[in-house]
Amino acid sequence: MELPEYALKGLQLLADPSHFSDKTFHILVEAAFESLLNPQTDGATLDHAELGNVDLTLVKQCNVAIATCVLEAGKHNADASTISTVLEDCRLGGERIDLFCATYQV
């Protein structure tokens, strides 16, 4: 599974705890999945109070990166192992990878 450069960069930013705490990472992953599964949300999930301290451009960039990863994974019928490899290459930690994969598999 190959991702475009902008998605890889966004995932690398998600890996950096100076940008996203574990809590804000969790919220952003949930928001990205929600926006894909329920288009009527119209981005409202990105207005979460916990994300208020994070630069909006960064939030949007990372939201797009997550969505791109999810869509590509679905397109290629990728399993958790394949997704984990991509996320490891982007330097995400084990807990964040586990959360992402668990959310993807639901």
Side-chain angles (χ1 to χ4, degrees):
M1 182 174 92
E2 290 186 39
L3 296 176
E5 188 63 34
Y6 70 86
L8 294 172
K9 178 65 176 163
L11 292 172
Q12 289 168 356
L13 290 168
L14 278 169
D16 186 348
S18 70
H19 293 300
F20 296 97
S21 68
D22 288 339
K23 186 173 185 174
T24 55
F25 174 83
H26 184 251
I27 291 166
L28 190 56
V29 168
E30 298 256 332
F33 276 87
E34 179 67 23
S35 68
L36 290 171
L37 296 172
N38 186 6
Q40 290 82 12
T41 60
D42 195 30
T45 52
L46 294 180
D47 293 335
H48 194 285
E50 289 289 330
L51 297 174
N53 296 330
V54 182
D55 177 55
L56 184 58
T57 303
L58 182 62
V59 169
K60 288 181 178 183
Q61 179 180 4
C62 292
N63 183 58
V64 169
I66 294 167
T68 302
C69 184
V70 169
L71 293 172
E72 281 297 309
K75 179 174 142 184
H76 295 285
N77 198 24
D79 60 8
S81 175
T82 302
I83 297 168
S84 291
T85 300
V86 170
L87 298 177
E88 286 170 2
D89 289 347
C90 292
R91 300 186 301 271
L92 269 80
E95 288 183 24
R96 291 183 181 205
I97 292 171
D98 290 345
L99 172 71
F100 189 101
C101 290
T103 307
Y104 177 80
Q105 291 176 331
V106 171

